[in-house]
Amino acid sequence: MNGPDDHGRPGSFSADDWEPAANPQPGGRAPDAPNSVPGSFGAEQQGAAEEPTSRSLRFSVPSAAELLLGIPWAIWSLGVVSSVSSWIFDGFADTLVVTLWVLSGLLILLPATEDAVARFLCRLRKPTLMEQQKLDIAWRAVCAHAGVDPGFYKLWVEESDSVNGISVAGRSVAVTRWALNNLPPRQLQAVLAHELGHHRGGHPWATLLVFWYAQPARWTMAAIQAMARLRTAIGCLITIFFVLALAGLVLRSMMWGGWGWAVYAVLPFLVPIPLAWFSRRSEFIADRVAADLGYARDTIRFFYDVQSQGEDVARRAAGWRGAVYATHPTIADRIRSLETYVQATG
């Protein structure tokens, strides 16, 4: 509980601070948040959001590329599932198991699956009453600028001290507890607008589909790597068997003049590099969406704060592997991109 002198402290807020205005604005527009001390929403708003405009949803190029790059891992997973199924079942049961696995990707369309992914896979939680009030005001302002229904999406909180936002396949948007309690209102809106940009580009759906269909193959690879680290006779034999089987598949394809299987055998090892590149492109696109919604300068301020915390220093310490396999651009690159946008648009 905050004392009487804690009202202006960053991160402090009460239910009265975050109550929306008693008289709603005409036309159903969402109130815009004042750019003031974190947590200092008052009943008197300092400006209204723009009239909602109609913006069509589109599937971005990085999202489509991510789906295409996930095909080799999906083929490997299909081979793993069909092999295991043929060892256990026979005939119709074998075909049924493989068919059910192929159709299992449709489960992510169910709201119950979406909630399970948010809770257990992404480790998110529902906001408290005061957090919900704070998120509602910021989210309504963002959706008013974007011209979308704020009630279509679900808001979550990640129990973390990092500065981050998360977009989950379906209708889920989340921010960290630290960001919710410490960011100024306009910067909090900028983070939410960035996550809305991911949803508008279809990136969360593509990421979850690729993740889902790659799991059997990745579990198999993880098991082989774990056995290789044990340095036991059985582990070495399994590792040698896998390497020889992969090499035999490549040689067979080369001898018979068909390079298809050889490409599929090697491609999953090469996919992470272009996949990471397209993931970085999707971050630039989401930043651009936030800028188009009017949060370019707020996002730049937010990135300068993150940069001052040494984010790029840790990235540089990871060396070339950190640069090649990173799923997010450097903070400096994102700042330069937005500053160019601001200069071009005035």
Side-chain angles (χ1 to χ4, degrees), residues 69-125:
L69 291 171
I71 292 177
W73 277 105
I75 293 176
W76 271 33
S77 295
L78 179 61
V80 172
V81 172
S82 59
S83 298
V84 174
S85 177
S86 62
W87 294 340
I88 301 175
F89 304 102
D90 192 14
F92 175 76
D94 179 19
T95 305
L96 180 63
V97 169
V98 176
T99 303
L100 290 176
W101 177 79
V102 173
L103 297 177
S104 64
L106 298 176
L107 291 175
I108 65 174
L109 299 176
L110 300 177
T113 306
E114 178 186 344
D115 291 346
V117 170
R119 287 178 180 274
F120 302 110
L121 185 61
C122 300
R123 297 182 180 180
L124 307 179
R125 63 171 174 82

Side-chain angles (χ1 to χ4, degrees), residues 27-33 48-55 57 132 135-155 171-173 185-186 188-197 199-200 289-290 292-295:
R29 291 176 297 180
D32 198 9
E50 298 175 355
E51 284 288 349
T53 57
S54 176
R55 294 180 173 87
L57 300 179
Q132 186 68 54
L135 279 172
D136 280 345
I137 292 179
W139 182 242
R140 286 203 312 271
V142 172
C143 291
H145 287 296
V148 299
D149 180 13
F152 179 77
Y153 295 91
K154 298 179 181 179
L155 300 177
R171 302 174 297 166
S172 297
V173 176
R186 285 285 302 182
L188 177 60
Q189 291 180 33
V191 172
L192 292 172
H194 174 90
E195 300 309 322
L196 179 61
H199 276 288
R200 290 168 65 88
V289 171
D292 288 339
L293 295 179
Y295 297 104

Side-chain angles (χ1 to χ4, degrees), residues 206-278:
T207 300
L208 187 58
L209 277 174
V210 171
F211 170 82
W212 178 261
Y213 283 112
Q215 286 312 292
R218 292 188 181 277
W219 289 344
T220 303
M221 291 296 297
I224 293 173
Q225 292 175 354
M227 291 180 181
R229 294 191 190 99
L230 293 177
R231 302 183 185 278
T232 61
I234 297 178
C236 292
L237 287 175
I238 293 178
T239 304
I240 293 173
F241 173 80
F242 173 78
V243 173
L244 291 178
L246 188 63
L249 183 61
V250 174
L251 290 175
R252 181 179 180 277
S253 300
M254 295 173 61
M255 291 175 60
W256 291 95
W259 288 87
W261 286 109
V263 172
Y264 285 131
V266 178
L267 197 57
F269 297 101
L270 305 177
V271 159
I273 296 177
L275 194 62
W277 187 87
F278 280 110

Side-chain angles (χ1 to χ4, degrees), residues 32-38 40 46 184-187 189 298 301:
D32 198 9
N35 189 14
S36 56
V37 179
S40 60
Q46 297 182 359
R186 285 285 302 182
Q187 291 188 20
Q189 291 180 33
D298 304 292
R301 295 189 189 100

